[in-house]
Amino acid sequence: MATYYRVTSFLLSSLFVAAYAAPCDEYAELNDAWRSVNYITNHTSRLCDHPGLSFSSGLVPGWYRFIGEAGNRMPTVPPESDYHCGTHAPVWLNGPHPTVADGVVNREVCASLNEYGCWRSWNIEVAACAGGFYVYHLIYTPACSFAYCVENGNVMTTPQTTTAPCDEYAELNDAWRSVNYITNHTSRLCDNPYYPNYSGLIPGWYRFTGEAGDRM
Protein backbone atom coordinates (compact mmCIF):
# COMPACT_ATOMS: atom_id res chain seq x y z
CA MET A 1 0.00 0.00 0.00
CA ALA A 2 1.32 3.45 -0.90
CA THR A 3 1.50 6.24 1.70
CA TYR A 4 2.03 9.68 0.17
CA TYR A 5 4.87 11.79 1.49
CA ARG A 6 5.75 15.40 0.81
CA VAL A 7 8.64 17.56 1.95
CA THR A 8 8.68 21.33 1.35
CA SER A 9 12.09 22.52 0.32
CA PHE A 10 12.94 26.09 1.30
CA LEU A 11 16.42 26.49 -0.15
CA LEU A 12 17.66 25.38 -3.56
CA SER A 13 21.16 26.36 -4.47
CA SER A 14 20.61 26.42 -8.22
CA LEU A 15 18.14 25.68 -10.98
CA PHE A 16 20.14 22.52 -11.71
CA VAL A 17 19.52 21.22 -8.22
CA ALA A 18 15.88 22.23 -8.42
CA ALA A 19 15.39 20.27 -11.61
CA TYR A 20 16.42 17.04 -9.93
CA ALA A 21 15.13 17.70 -6.39
CA ALA A 22 11.45 17.23 -7.27
CA PRO A 23 11.24 13.42 -7.22
CA CYS A 24 13.24 13.31 -3.97
CA ASP A 25 10.85 15.79 -2.34
CA GLU A 26 7.53 14.38 -3.46
CA TYR A 27 6.89 10.68 -3.81
CA ALA A 28 4.77 7.84 -2.49
CA GLU A 29 6.10 5.21 -0.10
CA LEU A 30 5.53 1.64 -1.25
CA ASN A 31 5.71 -0.88 1.58
CA ASP A 32 4.06 -4.03 0.20
CA ALA A 33 5.70 -7.01 1.92
CA TRP A 34 4.77 -9.27 -0.99
CA ARG A 35 7.14 -7.40 -3.34
CA SER A 36 10.17 -8.96 -1.63
CA VAL A 37 12.46 -11.14 -3.75
CA ASN A 38 12.04 -13.74 -1.02
CA TYR A 39 8.24 -13.75 -1.12
CA ILE A 40 6.96 -16.70 -3.16
CA THR A 41 3.37 -16.93 -4.35
CA ASN A 42 1.41 -19.16 -6.74
CA HIS A 43 -0.91 -18.82 -9.72
CA THR A 44 -4.07 -18.31 -7.68
CA SER A 45 -2.74 -15.66 -5.27
CA ARG A 46 -0.42 -13.68 -7.55
CA LEU A 47 -0.71 -9.88 -7.92
CA CYS A 48 0.28 -7.51 -10.71
CA ASP A 49 0.87 -3.82 -11.41
CA HIS A 50 -1.37 -3.71 -14.47
CA PRO A 51 -4.75 -2.01 -13.86
CA GLY A 52 -8.30 -3.22 -14.25
CA LEU A 53 -8.05 -6.80 -13.05
CA SER A 54 -9.26 -8.52 -9.90
CA PHE A 55 -5.66 -9.18 -8.85
CA SER A 56 -4.31 -5.70 -9.72
CA SER A 57 -2.15 -4.22 -6.95
CA GLY A 58 -3.67 -0.74 -7.06
CA LEU A 59 -0.41 0.92 -8.11
CA VAL A 60 -0.82 4.10 -10.18
CA PRO A 61 1.95 5.80 -12.22
CA GLY A 62 4.15 8.11 -10.17
CA TRP A 63 7.35 8.48 -8.14
CA TYR A 64 7.84 5.85 -5.43
CA ARG A 65 10.28 5.06 -2.65
CA PHE A 66 10.40 1.47 -1.41
CA ILE A 67 10.31 1.04 2.37
CA GLY A 68 9.40 -1.67 4.88
CA GLU A 69 10.29 -5.31 5.27
CA ALA A 70 10.36 -6.05 1.53
CA GLY A 71 13.37 -3.82 1.01
CA ASN A 72 14.60 -0.42 -0.09
CA ARG A 73 15.50 -0.80 -3.76
CA MET A 74 14.81 -2.78 -6.91
CA PRO A 75 17.11 -5.76 -7.57
CA THR A 76 19.57 -5.48 -10.45
CA VAL A 77 19.64 -9.21 -11.24
CA PRO A 78 16.69 -11.47 -12.09
CA PRO A 79 14.97 -13.24 -9.18
CA GLU A 80 15.67 -16.96 -8.90
CA SER A 81 12.47 -18.14 -10.59
CA ASP A 82 8.84 -17.36 -11.41
CA TYR A 83 6.36 -16.48 -8.67
CA HIS A 84 8.84 -14.50 -6.59
CA CYS A 85 7.87 -10.96 -5.51
CA GLY A 86 4.21 -11.92 -5.19
CA THR A 87 3.67 -12.22 -8.93
CA HIS A 88 4.21 -14.58 -11.86
CA ALA A 89 6.84 -12.49 -13.70
CA PRO A 90 8.96 -10.38 -11.28
CA VAL A 91 10.23 -7.04 -12.61
CA TRP A 92 13.86 -6.05 -11.91
CA LEU A 93 16.17 -3.17 -12.85
CA ASN A 94 18.46 -4.08 -15.75
CA GLY A 95 21.28 -1.65 -15.04
CA PRO A 96 23.10 0.10 -12.20
CA HIS A 97 21.43 2.52 -9.83
CA PRO A 98 22.41 6.17 -10.36
CA THR A 99 24.20 8.51 -7.97
CA VAL A 100 22.89 11.90 -6.84
CA ALA A 101 25.17 13.59 -9.38
CA ASP A 102 23.55 11.60 -12.21
CA GLY A 103 20.17 13.25 -11.63
CA VAL A 104 17.14 11.50 -13.09
CA VAL A 105 18.14 8.66 -15.41
CA ASN A 106 16.30 6.23 -17.66
CA ARG A 107 16.72 2.55 -16.91
CA GLU A 108 15.41 -0.59 -18.56
CA VAL A 109 13.33 -2.88 -16.37
CA CYS A 110 12.75 -6.53 -17.25
CA ALA A 111 10.03 -9.03 -16.46
CA SER A 112 11.61 -12.40 -15.72
CA LEU A 113 9.50 -15.34 -16.90
CA ASN A 114 10.07 -19.07 -17.40
CA GLU A 115 13.78 -18.67 -16.56
CA TYR A 116 14.23 -15.97 -19.23
CA GLY A 117 15.80 -13.06 -17.37
CA CYS A 118 14.39 -10.40 -19.68
CA TRP A 119 11.28 -11.89 -21.23
CA ARG A 120 9.76 -8.42 -21.72
CA SER A 121 11.19 -4.96 -21.05
CA TRP A 122 10.31 -1.25 -20.87
CA ASN A 123 11.89 1.91 -19.40
CA ILE A 124 11.33 3.79 -16.14
CA GLU A 125 13.04 6.79 -14.52
CA VAL A 126 15.22 6.44 -11.41
CA ALA A 127 16.92 8.96 -9.13
CA ALA A 128 19.24 8.75 -6.12
CA CYS A 129 18.40 11.15 -3.31
CA ALA A 130 20.80 12.93 -0.97
CA GLY A 131 18.87 11.51 1.98
CA GLY A 132 20.25 8.06 1.19
CA PHE A 133 17.49 6.39 -0.83
CA TYR A 134 16.28 5.79 -4.38
CA VAL A 135 13.04 6.86 -6.00
CA TYR A 136 11.51 5.25 -9.09
CA HIS A 137 8.95 6.62 -11.51
CA LEU A 138 6.87 3.48 -11.87
CA ILE A 139 4.34 3.04 -14.65
CA TYR A 140 1.73 0.37 -15.23
CA THR A 141 3.29 -2.90 -16.30
CA PRO A 142 2.36 -3.80 -19.90
CA ALA A 143 0.62 -7.02 -18.89
CA CYS A 144 -0.20 -9.40 -16.06
CA SER A 145 1.10 -10.91 -14.14
CA PHE A 146 4.09 -8.55 -13.87
CA ALA A 147 4.95 -6.63 -10.67
CA TYR A 148 7.88 -4.53 -9.50
CA CYS A 149 10.26 -6.44 -7.23
CA VAL A 150 12.14 -5.18 -4.14
CA GLU A 151 15.22 -6.22 -2.15
CA ASN A 152 17.31 -4.89 0.74
CA GLY A 153 20.62 -3.50 -0.41
CA ASN A 154 23.16 -0.73 -0.13
CA VAL A 155 22.19 2.70 -1.41
CA MET A 156 25.15 4.32 -3.18
CA THR A 157 24.13 7.96 -3.54
CA THR A 158 27.68 9.21 -4.19
CA PRO A 159 30.06 7.98 -6.89
CA GLN A 160 32.17 5.05 -5.77
CA THR A 161 35.92 5.54 -5.51
CA THR A 162 37.63 3.75 -8.35
CA THR A 163 39.83 0.94 -7.10
CA ALA A 164 42.61 -0.72 -9.03
CA PRO A 165 41.30 -3.86 -10.76
CA CYS A 166 44.37 -5.77 -9.55
CA ASP A 167 43.35 -5.06 -5.94
CA GLU A 168 39.66 -5.86 -6.15
CA TYR A 169 38.23 -8.64 -8.32
CA ALA A 170 36.29 -11.90 -8.21
CA GLU A 171 37.81 -15.29 -8.96
CA LEU A 172 36.18 -17.32 -11.74
CA ASN A 173 37.01 -21.00 -11.45
CA ASP A 174 34.33 -22.74 -13.51
CA ALA A 175 35.86 -25.95 -14.87
CA TRP A 176 33.45 -25.94 -17.81
CA ARG A 177 35.06 -22.78 -19.23
CA SER A 178 38.15 -24.75 -20.29
CA VAL A 179 38.93 -24.87 -24.00
CA ASN A 180 39.11 -28.64 -23.54
CA TYR A 181 35.65 -28.96 -22.00
CA ILE A 182 33.17 -30.24 -24.60
CA THR A 183 29.42 -29.87 -24.08
CA ASN A 184 26.31 -30.30 -26.19
CA HIS A 185 23.18 -28.39 -27.14
CA THR A 186 21.15 -29.45 -24.09
CA SER A 187 23.76 -28.77 -21.38
CA ARG A 188 25.49 -25.65 -22.74
CA LEU A 189 25.74 -22.47 -20.63
CA CYS A 190 26.00 -18.79 -21.48
CA ASP A 191 26.86 -15.48 -19.79
CA ASN A 192 23.72 -13.64 -20.93
CA PRO A 193 21.07 -13.25 -18.17
CA TYR A 194 18.22 -13.24 -20.68
CA TYR A 195 18.40 -16.99 -21.29
CA PRO A 196 17.49 -20.03 -19.17
CA ASN A 197 21.01 -21.47 -19.43
CA TYR A 198 22.48 -18.32 -17.80
CA SER A 199 25.75 -18.98 -15.94
CA GLY A 200 25.09 -16.42 -13.19
CA LEU A 201 27.99 -14.16 -14.19
CA ILE A 202 27.47 -10.45 -13.48
CA PRO A 203 29.52 -7.52 -14.87
CA GLY A 204 32.76 -6.87 -13.02
CA TRP A 205 36.50 -7.53 -12.85
CA TYR A 206 37.47 -11.22 -12.82
CA ARG A 207 40.58 -13.34 -12.44
CA PHE A 208 40.48 -16.84 -13.93
CA THR A 209 41.68 -19.54 -11.53
CA GLY A 210 41.34 -23.30 -11.15
CA GLU A 211 41.66 -26.27 -13.47
CA ALA A 212 40.13 -24.52 -16.48
CA GLY A 213 43.05 -22.13 -16.77
CA ASP A 214 44.38 -18.71 -15.85
CA ARG A 215 43.73 -16.60 -18.97
CA MET A 216 41.43 -16.24 -21.95
Side-chain angles (χ1 to χ4, degrees):
M1 180 170 294
T3 302
Y4 286 87
Y5 176 88
R6 186 185 178 106
V7 174
T8 302
S9 178
F10 297 97
L11 295 175
L12 293 174
S13 60
S14 67
L15 290 176
F16 175 81
V17 173
Y20 294 116
C24 294
D25 291 342
E26 188 169 342
Y27 53 82
E29 293 181 339
L30 209 54
N31 61 359
D32 304 309
W34 56 265
R35 293 185 184 276
S36 169
V37 292
N38 299 315
Y39 187 98
I40 300 174
T41 189
N42 55 49
H43 185 75
T44 57
S45 60
R46 72 198 188 282
L47 292 167
C48 85
D49 291 325
H50 187 81
L53 299 169
S54 60
F55 48 98
S56 296
S57 66
L59 179 140
V60 296
W63 284 99
Y64 289 90
R65 174 186 176 183
F66 293 112
I67 64 168
E69 61 183 275
N72 59 359
R73 69 177 196 178
M74 291 185 67
T76 53
V77 294
E80 292 179 0
S81 63
D82 296 359
Y83 293 110
H84 282 250
C85 308
T87 191
H88 188 185
V91 178
W92 56 284
L93 190 72
N94 187 17
H97 280 87
T99 66
V100 173
D102 294 327
V104 177
V105 301
N106 284 302
R107 288 288 186 267
E108 181 186 53
V109 291
C110 289
S112 174
L113 185 65
N114 296 331
E115 298 184 355
Y116 287 90
C118 199
W119 185 76
R120 191 162 178 180
S121 66
W122 59 98
N123 287 340
I124 64 169
E125 292 179 300
V126 187
C129 301
F133 57 91
Y134 299 118
V135 289
Y136 307 81
H137 191 266
L138 304 180
I139 61 176
Y140 291 131
T141 57
C144 270
S145 294
F146 303 165
Y148 295 101
C149 202
V150 188
E151 68 174 5
N152 274 305
N154 295 328
V155 178
M156 302 297 296
T157 57
T158 56
Q160 292 181 274
T161 302
T162 301
T163 58
C166 294
D167 295 333
E168 188 170 336
Y169 55 83
E171 292 188 348
L172 208 56
N173 60 0
D174 304 310
W176 56 265
R177 294 185 183 274
S178 169
V179 292
N180 298 315
Y181 187 96
I182 301 173
T183 187
N184 55 49
H185 183 76
T186 58
S187 61
R188 72 196 189 283
L189 293 168
C190 82
D191 292 327
N192 189 318
Y194 297 171
Y195 295 92
N197 53 334
Y198 173 44
S199 67
L201 181 139
I202 58 175
W205 285 101
Y206 287 91
R207 174 186 175 187
F208 292 108
T209 65
E211 63 182 274
D214 58 3
R215 69 177 193 177
M216 292 181 67

